[in-house]
Amino acid sequence: MKNHKYLVWILPAAVAVMIFCFSAQPADESSQLSGGLALKLFDLLSRINPSMDAEVFLERISTPIRKTAHITEYTVFYLTLLAAWHVTGLRKRKWVGAAMLTVFLYACSDEFHQLFVDGRSGQFTDVMIDCSASLILSIILICVCSAGCRRKRN
């Protein structure tokens, strides 16, 4: 049973592979994916407001959709890493830091990987976007852990 705790690493590995596969898509393929979601959103919202201009809407919503997708996939990666580091046996706040560092390093390697994909580019600003939710969650977890430790002492 003791060795089974390492099976939890399958989840972050699967998410890392998913992120890698999305990043390996050429720019036009990736744009089609996010563009398809933008079109579905436009179809839904244009029923509420029929006077919406499709071109303006799609231009304004494409980047937020792509960035939200990045934040979401890296948040899932972070949460699976938190669980894996915790189950593996890191104590207290160390698993929060280990998960955050892993997300940061993977985001850096992902942007480097994108330098070799047609139409894609590696941007450090994307690393920061990828890590933003993980950083916020880390701060919250550290505050919660600190408050819990203070309560135990009192």
Side-chain angles (χ1 to χ4, degrees):
M1 184 70 175
K2 194 175 188 178
N3 290 333
H4 288 96
K5 70 181 180 181
Y6 295 105
L7 290 176
V8 74
W9 284 97
I10 292 171
L11 291 172
V15 175
V17 168
M18 178 197 70
I19 291 170
F20 181 88
C21 290
F22 281 138
S23 293
Q25 293 177 332
D28 41 335
E29 236 181 274
S30 179
S31 293
Q32 285 178 345
L33 188 61
S34 57
L37 182 59
L39 277 173
K40 288 182 183 188
L41 187 59
F42 174 77
D43 288 343
L44 177 70
L45 294 176
S46 65
R47 292 179 187 159
I48 298 167
N49 181 5
S51 65
M52 284 177 54
D53 183 339
E55 193 174 316
V56 171
F57 177 82
L58 295 175
E59 185 180 310
R60 289 183 181 168
I61 200 72
S62 293
T63 299
I65 284 176
R66 284 194 318 274
K67 299 308 177 187
T68 301
H70 276 257
I71 290 169
T72 302
E73 66 190 7
Y74 274 90
T75 300
V76 171
F77 186 46
Y78 174 76
L79 293 172
T80 60
L81 284 166
L82 273 179
W85 284 116
H86 181 66
V87 168
T88 303
L90 279 181
R91 296 186 183 266
K92 304 236 180 196
R93 291 182 228 157
K94 289 183 182 177
W95 48 273
V96 174
M100 187 64 225
L101 180 62
T102 306
V103 165
F104 176 75
L105 293 175
Y106 193 77
C108 289
S109 71
D110 183 50
E111 291 303 313
F112 180 73
H113 164 233
Q114 288 183 33
L115 292 173
F116 304 98
V117 178
D118 286 340
R120 303 290 289 264
S121 64
Q123 305 281 332
F124 189 72
T125 53
D126 284 349
V127 171
M128 303 316 298
I129 290 168
D130 294 342
C131 294
S132 61
S134 303
L135 179 62
I136 292 167
L137 288 171
S138 292
I139 292 167
I140 291 168
L141 285 170
I142 289 169
C143 291
V144 168
C145 288
S146 295
C149 289
R150 274 188 244 130
R151 280 191 203 127
K152 285 182 183 179
R153 280 187 240 142
N154 293 337

